[in-house]
Amino acid sequence: MTTLNPTSPSECQELWTGIAKRPPFTELEQRYSLTKFEHLLHADTLNTLKNRLITTENGSTQRGHTQRGQAPQNTQRGQALQSSLASLERGQAPQNDFSQSLNHGQACQIDFKQSFKCQNSMSDSEDYYETIIFKDKIIPTRPNSWHDLFNGLIWLNFPKTKTLLNEWHVEDIQSHGLTPRTHRRNQITLFDECGVILAVSDPQICENLSNHQWQKVFIEDRHKWANYNSYLHHDLERLNNQDSHVKNNQDSHVKMPAAKAFVFGHANYEMLLNPFIGLTGKWLAIRVDNSFFEENYDRQLTILDSAIYDLLNRKHLLSNSRKLSPIPLLGIPGWHLANENEDFYMNQDYFRPARSK
């Protein structure tokens, strides 16, 4: 685990300002404007952000929000999305990790019951971390901890799913005790720390990922990744045309994407502060309609939170023995500058071939 030494508020601010210019941190900064907070690594910051989201949702459709429980109204895009969601609900879920989402149209409620509390101000308790969250509706947060900041931001991004995972932890603790940990708790922790959500409209992308067809999915189909399209839009000046894929795909960024990666595991964010070869996440796919990629970031999070919640409940993906599939995080198009060179994907110690069956 990559852990940075405690830093002063001004040092936190300076460090974050630089980090927030890199994908995938860019969308966090655009949503939360963290550069406006002096005390970045503190529970009070997370509570302020939560209250601001509640105010925004309750007050208006500012920044693309809709009122809770409602889909976008009076727009062709919103109507197209609702139509596609209805068709998904009638369909059959594909096999493997490419799973159709359900109840996309239900917006999550950002005002979840938990609040963040500085761990230094909490009295000693014999209760386990997950039990405190469940019983006391408090998320203990260490000051000057990047890990806990990112955990809090994931709570704000995916409140329904995070609440569900917490409930499952407590269910297993109550039924089986703290130790030994159940298989489900191990799977929950792995997903909670290292999970990556893939919103996908093309099932072939998931099949190629499952089969470790890295060249196909990350190079040949590079233009299909919304993360890469966003990267092109905001950071074209950083690319070297002699070594970049852009010279071969100059018009690709105008095409409709078919996949977008979202960080769910807060440990992923922490380790991406100082990325290293070998950094790997565990992916879970949610099937979406093409119109999903036209939605703003806030709306995409709302759709995915409801979809993941429903998928985990229906398919019991974290209870069975099937392992979550790996994805090399630095290979995701747009997430790492070095992967603009095709040679980056030749490292088979990182981009490992699938094991022969």
Side-chain angles (χ1 to χ4, degrees), residues 34 70 79 106 113 130 160 195 203 263 266 301 317 331 349:
L34 291 174
Q70 294 181 354
Q79 293 169 359
Q106 298 179 358
K113 295 179 181 179
E130 297 290 349
K160 287 182 67 174
V263 174
H266 52 280
L301 292 178
L317 295 181
D349 289 332

Side-chain angles (χ1 to χ4, degrees), residues 38 67-68 70 86 142 210 224 245 247 264 293 337:
E38 292 183 359
Q67 293 188 4
R68 291 189 300 274
Q70 294 181 354
R142 295 167 294 184
S210 296
K224 294 184 178 181
H245 298 295
K247 64 178 184 288
F264 184 87
F293 303 105
L337 183 60

Side-chain angles (χ1 to χ4, degrees), residues 281-334:
K282 300 292 185 177
W283 62 270
L284 180 68
I286 298 295
R287 185 171 182 175
V288 297
D289 186 84
N290 285 335
S291 59
F292 172 88
F293 303 105
E294 299 178 33
E295 298 293 331
N296 65 31
Y297 182 63
D298 287 8
R299 179 61 185 159
Q300 288 175 346
L301 292 178
T302 296
I303 292 170
L304 290 177
D305 192 26
S306 290
I308 300 164
Y309 176 91
D310 189 83
L311 176 65
L312 293 178
N313 265 319
R314 284 176 171 265
K315 300 298 180 183
H316 306 289
L317 295 181
L318 301 182
S319 299
N320 58 38
S321 59
R322 182 178 58 180
K323 295 182 179 180
L324 295 170
S325 297
I327 184 169
L329 293 186
L330 304 189
I332 295 175

Side-chain angles (χ1 to χ4, degrees), residues 23-24 193-198 214 218 261-265 267-269 271-272 275-276 278-283 326-336 339 344-345 350-351:
E193 296 278 348
C194 303
V196 176
I197 305 300
L198 300 181
W214 311 120
F218 288 147
F262 295 78
V263 174
F264 184 87
N268 288 340
Y269 272 131
M271 290 184 286
L272 281 166
F276 57 91
L279 181 52
T280 302
K282 300 292 185 177
W283 62 270
I327 184 169
L329 293 186
L330 304 189
I332 295 175
W335 275 17
H336 190 54
N339 73 35
F344 181 77
Y345 295 97
Y350 188 31
F351 299 96

Side-chain angles (χ1 to χ4, degrees), residues 88 92-101 198-213 216-217 221 224-225 256-260 283-290 293 325:
L88 284 176
Q92 298 296 319
Q95 296 179 355
N96 301 323
D97 290 300
F98 183 71
S99 302
Q100 289 182 338
S101 58
L198 300 181
V200 187
S201 62
D202 180 359
Q204 190 62 46
I205 291 175
C206 291
E207 183 174 344
N208 291 335
L209 280 173
S210 296
N211 294 326
H212 293 201
Q213 298 296 313
K216 172 62 177 174
V217 76
D221 291 343
K224 294 184 178 181
W225 289 81
M256 177 63 69
K260 183 175 181 180
W283 62 270
L284 180 68
I286 298 295
R287 185 171 182 175
V288 297
D289 186 84
N290 285 335
F293 303 105
S325 297

Side-chain angles (χ1 to χ4, degrees), residues 50 53-61 65-71 73 105-112 159-160 299 302:
K50 174 187 170 183
L53 288 175
I54 293 172
T55 301
T56 301
E57 262 198 11
N58 287 340
S60 68
T61 57
H65 278 288
T66 58
Q67 293 188 4
R68 291 189 300 274
Q70 294 181 354
Q73 299 294 321
Q106 298 179 358
C108 68
Q109 296 189 15
I110 191 61
D111 50 335
F112 55 94
K160 287 182 67 174
R299 179 61 185 159
T302 296

